[in-house]
Amino acid sequence: MAIEYLGDVAAFDTQPMTVSLLKGLLTPALRDVVNFVNAPLLAKERGIKVVESKSETADDFTNLITLKVKTQSMESTISGTIFGKSEPRIVRLNNFRLEAIPAGHMLLITNVDRPGVIGAIATTLGKHNINI
């Protein structure tokens, strides 16, 4: 796991943010076992190596935090920033640039670009009364 802090945020103590990222990464798999105190230890026990890097210069944003997670079968990257003084945004997911407010439930789908795929997914969600 690599965490990159770019811009003004690099001047701060980033340890609390790193622990928060670890907690967020581990909680879906381990549920209620993970908290802010034990997240670093649980990561270490599972062989998760955490590498932090900092740079006070950022190209596109005043501040940017990027998390890269690599497993034996995949690699994924997510980047976020703050617009204004208090408006968080996800601005990159792997190689895709976007602007998403990180709130509520989100569904991310990677699929082959073929006609009917999104329609089938929307139909399935609709059958289960999930509003998109």
Side-chain angles (χ1 to χ4, degrees):
M1 179 171 122
I3 307 166
E4 190 175 50
Y5 296 101
L6 300 176
D8 297 340
V9 70
F12 295 104
D13 175 14
T14 56
Q15 185 60 27
M17 287 184 281
T18 298
V19 171
S20 293
L21 289 167
L22 280 171
K23 183 180 181 308
L25 185 68
L26 294 171
T27 297
L30 303 177
R31 306 251 179 225
D32 296 332
V33 175
V34 186
N35 58 50
F36 292 105
V37 174
N38 68 8
L41 177 63
L42 292 171
K44 187 176 180 180
E45 287 174 349
R46 283 155 179 76
I48 299 171
K49 182 180 168 187
V50 179
V51 177
E52 285 186 26
S53 63
K54 295 181 179 184
S55 174
E56 292 185 8
T57 58
D59 293 333
D60 298 327
F61 301 96
T62 304
N63 292 291
L64 187 69
I65 300 174
T66 299
L67 172 64
K68 295 178 184 178
V69 178
K70 186 176 183 180
T71 68
Q72 292 176 345
S73 61
M74 54 78 73
E75 184 173 331
S76 193
T77 302
I78 188 168
S79 297
T81 191
I82 301 288
F83 286 3
K85 294 188 182 268
S86 61
E87 298 179 34
R89 293 292 191 277
I90 298 169
V91 293
R92 181 173 291 257
L93 193 53
N94 297 322
N95 292 324
F96 185 72
R97 288 180 175 256
L98 67 144
E99 182 185 324
I101 298 170
H105 297 285
M106 295 179 146
L107 175 63
L108 172 69
I109 300 170
T110 303
N111 64 284
V112 177
D113 189 10
R114 287 191 322 238
V117 173
I118 298 300
I121 293 167
T123 298
T124 301
L125 292 172
K127 285 180 182 177
H128 293 286
N129 205 26
I130 299 170
N131 184 21
I132 58 170

